């Protein structure tokens, strides 16, 4: 498998090259670049099967570089410094990534996946753009607004205000929108929770996460539940009541 490394930090490039040479004999390293413009030219001329790509780079970041590539007919492994929100974004988008400093065991497993799995598709990349934090003033949660939901027949972009609640459905999550529209996404509710709780959503039950803007009433009795704007009642787990009160500032 012909591979390139594109990372603006020379030490990271040298270390990754050393690890590949020692532990991944199936990889032929055909180029190492600390300049994103040179890396782009190398992709176009050397036609690698695998690219290790840093995201945060000067001149062109990883996403901008991929936009200029056009059709992506190679595997991509994103390389990034550790950040909890960034990791959530990678997982939600089902993309391969390695955290700096790169662990050898993780590297070997990632290369093996690249040998056997399908290459990146544009929808995965669009999801990553949606959820990956950007900006120079630190890591920012995504702004409220439209969000991409991958489903069986493709991808739909919806306004988060339209999402009333999310429901766990085995290893899937069912998104319930205003007007009764539903979308089933191939992510667990735990995966969805990691991304959406920065957008005024709260998991109130092992099976449900609600949009706080769609809560009409909290009803207490034998079992606490929420009445939502679409008329649906959602149970609130005992251990989640305090979190709900904290988010609303109720007394």
């Amino acid at each position: 498998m012909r591979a390139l490394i594109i990372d603006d930090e020379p030490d990271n490039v040298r270390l990754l090259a050393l690890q590949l040479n020692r532990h991944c004999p199936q990889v032929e390293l055909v180029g190492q670049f600390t300049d994103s413009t040179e890396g782009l030219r190398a992709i176009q001329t050397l036609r690698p099967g695998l690219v290790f790509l840093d995201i945060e780079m000067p001149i062109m970041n990883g996403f901008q570089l991929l936009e200029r590539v056009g059709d992506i007919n190679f595997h991509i492994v994103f390389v990034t410094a550790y950040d909890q929100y960034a990791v959530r974004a990678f997982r939600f988008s089902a993309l391969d990534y390695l955290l700096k400093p790169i662990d050898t065991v993780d590297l070997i497993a990632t290369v093996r996946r690249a040998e056997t799995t399908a290459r990146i598709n544009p929808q995965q990349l669009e999801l990553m753009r949606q959820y990956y934090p950007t900006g120079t003033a630190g890591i920012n949660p995504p702004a409220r607004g439209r969000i991409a939901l991958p489903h069986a027949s493709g991808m739909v972009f919806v306004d988060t205000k339209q999402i009333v609640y999310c429901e766990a459905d085995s290893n899937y999550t069912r998104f319930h929108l205003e007007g009764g529209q539903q979308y089933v996404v191939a992510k667990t509710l735990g995966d969805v929770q990691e991304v959406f709780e920065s957008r005024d959503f709260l998991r109130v039950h092992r099976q449900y996460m609600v949009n706080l803007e769609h809560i009409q009433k909290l009803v207490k009795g034998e079992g606490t539940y929420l009445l939502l704007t679409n008329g649906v009642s959602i149970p609130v787990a005992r251990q989640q009541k305090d979190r709900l009160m904290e988010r609303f500032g109720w007394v």
Side-chain angles (χ1 to χ4, degrees), residues 93-160:
S93 308
L95 293 172
D96 273 324
Y97 65 94
L98 291 168
L99 300 176
K100 301 176 183 179
I102 296 172
D103 179 82
T104 299
V105 174
D106 290 341
L107 174 62
I108 294 171
T110 300
V111 170
R112 286 176 179 168
R113 278 197 302 274
E115 291 180 289
T116 58
T117 59
R119 296 177 179 180
I120 190 173
N121 64 56
Q123 292 183 344
Q124 285 176 289
L125 195 56
E126 181 59 34
L127 276 175
M128 191 63 190
R129 291 182 215 271
Q130 289 275 321
Y131 301 125
Y132 191 83
T134 58
T136 58
I139 299 303
N140 302 310
R144 291 185 57 80
R146 291 206 312 164
I147 198 163
L149 299 179
H151 59 95
S153 58
M155 182 180 298
V156 63
F157 292 85
V158 301
D159 193 309
T160 55

Side-chain angles (χ1 to χ4, degrees), residues 16-178:
L16 178 53
L18 180 63
Q19 289 173 296
L20 287 170
N21 288 330
R22 286 183 176 177
H23 304 289
C24 302
Q26 70 272 50
V27 173
E28 177 191 1
L29 193 56
V30 295
Q32 306 171 40
F33 301 92
T34 56
D35 182 282
S36 55
T37 303
E38 294 179 359
L40 173 61
R41 284 197 293 265
I43 289 175
Q44 295 168 334
T45 58
L46 298 177
R47 302 186 181 280
L50 175 62
V51 174
F52 294 90
L53 180 64
D54 189 15
I55 294 180
E56 301 298 335
M57 296 184 292
I59 305 177
M60 282 187 295
N61 64 33
F63 295 132
Q64 292 168 332
L65 184 151
L66 292 174
E67 285 177 356
R68 297 194 183 188
V69 168
D71 292 334
I72 300 172
N73 57 0
F74 48 88
H75 293 278
I76 302 170
V77 176
F78 290 100
V79 182
T80 183
Y82 176 75
D83 172 77
Q84 186 179 17
Y85 194 86
V87 170
R88 293 174 186 174
F90 283 114
R91 289 175 178 169
F92 195 83
S93 308
L95 293 172
D96 273 324
Y97 65 94
L98 291 168
L99 300 176
K100 301 176 183 179
I102 296 172
D103 179 82
T104 299
V105 174
D106 290 341
L107 174 62
I108 294 171
T110 300
V111 170
R112 286 176 179 168
R113 278 197 302 274
E115 291 180 289
T116 58
T117 59
R119 296 177 179 180
I120 190 173
N121 64 56
Q123 292 183 344
Q124 285 176 289
L125 195 56
E126 181 59 34
L127 276 175
M128 191 63 190
R129 291 182 215 271
Q130 289 275 321
Y131 301 125
Y132 191 83
T134 58
T136 58
I139 299 303
N140 302 310
R144 291 185 57 80
R146 291 206 312 164
I147 198 163
L149 299 179
H151 59 95
S153 58
M155 182 180 298
V156 63
F157 292 85
V158 301
D159 193 309
T160 55
K161 292 181 180 179
Q162 295 179 307
I163 303 170
V164 182
Y165 69 99
C166 304
E167 179 182 9
D169 187 357
S170 186
N171 290 325
Y172 297 83
T173 297
R174 186 177 300 274
F175 284 75
H176 296 262
L177 276 61
E178 293 175 327

